[in-house]
Amino acid sequence: MRYTEKDIRNIPLTEFMAALGEKPVKSFEDMKLYYAPQRDDTEPMLVVDTNTNRWYDHATDQSGDIIDLAALKMNPTLYMDPRDFILKYMNEYEQGKELSIMARCPQPPTVVGIDIKKVKLIDFMKALGQEHPVAADGNLRIYNAPYDANPGPTMVINTETNLWRDTKSGAYGSIYDLAYELTGSCNMSELNRYIASEMAVLEKSKDKEQNTEPSKQEPDKPQRKIRL
């Protein structure tokens, strides 16, 4: 799952606390008691009401929603908007959970004769319809993000490491992570089949181009003159 700004109000505070690395110390029906993530307290002081999805801090008498808590936790020199802070932590948290599921269900990386781990990301982008990057800088190639509803040049591929990163969402990883962004599937077999099918289409198009290229005719050799 990839959170966007419109999802923020519906994110359970318990999930946000988990993304921050906090676990409830005690639970009382709809109430969960935590250590305040914005301080280094010796006692748990933050209560989350799972029914209203709001929190209350016994130490400061403050209360609020997920955005208010993020504003207290975030470093203002790194984030201008608490919504950006929430999206970064929640999306990294979700990605970690999904990759953990994938790791527990390993599948052989070779499908239909293709070694997925050896597929170059720039070739995979060609298979997705982006023949050339928008820009290049050394070993970096910049592409329009194919998984974004409003694709822009935010996806950067490092051709040396064969890894990618999105400068807008913070998403990153290998070809499997990119396939996840495109399909939403955490099933390794499905990801293998998806990547292999896209690459197979690319290979077929290459073969078709080679077969349709006009054959080069060699120029007529000059006839040798007969000496008398």
Side-chain angles (χ1 to χ4, degrees), residues 20 24 70 105 142 155 161 164 180 191 215:
L20 295 176
C105 303
I142 302 170
M155 180 182 167
T161 62
W164 65 277
Y180 159 73
L191 294 177
S215 58

Side-chain angles (χ1 to χ4, degrees), residues 82-109:
R83 294 172 183 82
D84 294 334
F85 178 81
I86 294 168
L87 292 177
K88 176 183 182 296
Y89 273 83
M90 288 306 303
N91 284 326
E92 288 185 354
Y93 176 64
E94 286 297 321
Q95 187 178 41
K97 289 197 299 183
E98 289 149 2
L99 292 177
S100 177
I101 294 171
M102 290 168 60
R104 290 198 295 269
C105 303
Q107 297 290 334

Side-chain angles (χ1 to χ4, degrees), residues 1 13 15 24 32 61 63-64 73 80 109 121 131 146 149 168 177-178 180 187 194 197 209 213-214 224:
M1 179 179 182
L13 267 171
E15 285 291 290
K32 294 187 182 294
D61 202 31
S63 63
K73 172 63 178 176
M80 297 292 291
L121 277 170
E131 182 71 21
K168 183 173 72 172
D177 300 293
L178 179 55
Y180 159 73
N187 185 290
Y194 172 73
S197 64
E209 288 177 4
E213 283 183 1
R224 297 178 63 182

Side-chain angles (χ1 to χ4, degrees), residues 58-70:
H58 285 280
T60 62
D61 202 31
Q62 290 177 299
S63 63
D65 59 12
I66 187 172
I67 295 176
D68 299 315
L69 184 59

Side-chain angles (χ1 to χ4, degrees), residues 169-196:
S169 68
Y172 63 93
S174 67
I175 191 170
Y176 283 111
D177 300 293
L178 179 55
Y180 159 73
E181 293 290 337
L182 292 162
T183 64
S185 173
C186 295
N187 185 290
M188 187 65 83
S189 294
E190 291 180 2
L191 294 177
N192 279 332
R193 286 194 295 270
Y194 172 73
I195 296 169

